[in-house]
């Protein structure tokens, strides 16, 4: 009884936040995704909008979108307290180049990213414009990812991705 409650609690608090760099404004179009991003880790990309999806609704987090290279210059700050997603839309600043999140109401020792957070993650998944076709892009070099993302941005379907067919998820 106690054990199953504990197990449920652990499963319920597992990190499942996916951060999408979308090729179009308003979180539309193809995307490259950091799946299961941990707090205080900067997911890097380059696109006009960024979506957080799968945010546990019992978490209170702040998510920051940055421009100017990685988590360089703050561009958008989102407060999620019960919402399972948010879209950081385009604004007058250049493309989003990085994003990370942190917990709002926990003790500092559990990780509130102020200055000095330097850990980065690269997107591990490419999602096509149809929103359902996904490829594993982990370990590909940056130029290759940029090239594949550009093809996806043009609205291409799975037929354009024969070279990474074996990486389809
Ligand atoms: C902004 O992002 C889009 C979509 O990824 C890309 O096509 C474009 O080249 C980017 N702009 C710059 C200035 O990097």
């Amino acid at each position: 009884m106690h054990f199953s409650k504990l197990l449920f609690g652990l499963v319920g608090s597992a990190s499942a936040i996916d951060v999408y760099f979308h090729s179009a404004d308003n979180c539309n179009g193809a995307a490259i995704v950091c799946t299961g991003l941990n707090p205080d880790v900067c997911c890097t990309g380059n696109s006009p909008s960024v979506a957080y999806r799968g945010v546990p609704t019992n978490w209170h987090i702040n998510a920051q979108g940055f421009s100017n290279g990685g988590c360089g210059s703050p561009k958008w700050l989102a407060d999620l307290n019960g919402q399972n997603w948010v879209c950081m839309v385009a604004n007058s600043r250049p493309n989003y180049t990085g994003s990370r999140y942190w917990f709002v109401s926990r003790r500092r020792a559990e990780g509130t990213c102020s200055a000095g957070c330097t850990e980065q993650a690269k997107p591990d998944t490419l999602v096509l414009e149809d929103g359902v076709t996904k490829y594993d892009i982990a370990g590909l070099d940056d130029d290759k990812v940029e090239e594949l993302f550009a093809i996806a941005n043009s609205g291409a379907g799975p037929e354009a991705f024969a070279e990474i067919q074996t990486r389809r998820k």
Side-chain angles (χ1 to χ4, degrees):
M1 177 69 157
H2 284 242
F3 179 72
S4 66
K5 261 192 182 165
L6 177 66
L7 198 62
F8 183 76
L10 288 172
V11 170
S13 66
S15 170
I17 293 184
D18 299 332
V19 179
Y20 287 63
F21 282 83
H22 276 282
S23 63
D25 291 354
N26 302 317
C27 300
N28 291 310
I32 47 175
V33 186
C34 283
T35 305
L37 186 70
N38 286 322
D40 296 345
V41 176
C42 178
C43 172
T44 58
N46 181 11
S47 77
S49 63
V50 170
Y52 274 63
R53 294 195 166 86
V55 180
T57 53
N58 58 345
W59 284 10
H60 186 188
I61 63 165
N62 278 355
Q64 181 101 62
F66 299 84
S67 57
N68 203 22
C71 289
S73 310
K75 173 171 158 79
W76 185 284
L77 181 64
D79 184 52
L80 289 113
N81 192 5
Q83 300 79 27
N84 68 353
W85 87 291
V86 70
C87 177
M88 301 182 184
V89 301
N91 61 21
S92 59
R93 298 196 179 159
N95 275 357
Y96 291 96
T97 55
S99 184
R100 67 174 170 239
Y101 69 92
W102 59 91
F103 291 98
V104 172
S105 52
R106 294 194 183 174
R107 280 171 299 150
R108 191 162 279 269
E110 285 185 70
T112 299
C113 202
S114 48
C117 282
T118 54
E119 205 182 330
Q120 294 197 340
K122 289 180 181 176
D124 55 79
T125 301
L126 171 71
V127 186
L128 302 190
E129 200 177 80
D130 63 14
V132 293
T133 309
K134 296 179 178 176
Y135 298 94
D136 176 7
I137 55 167
L140 296 178
D141 67 38
D142 295 352
D143 289 350
K144 184 46 113 184
V145 170
E146 207 175 302
E147 179 195 323
L148 293 168
F149 190 29
I151 296 169
N153 290 351
S154 72
E159 64 286 350
F161 295 89
E163 71 171 305
I164 54 165
Q165 182 57 37
T166 56
R167 289 174 165 266
R168 188 150 173 188
K169 289 183 160 182

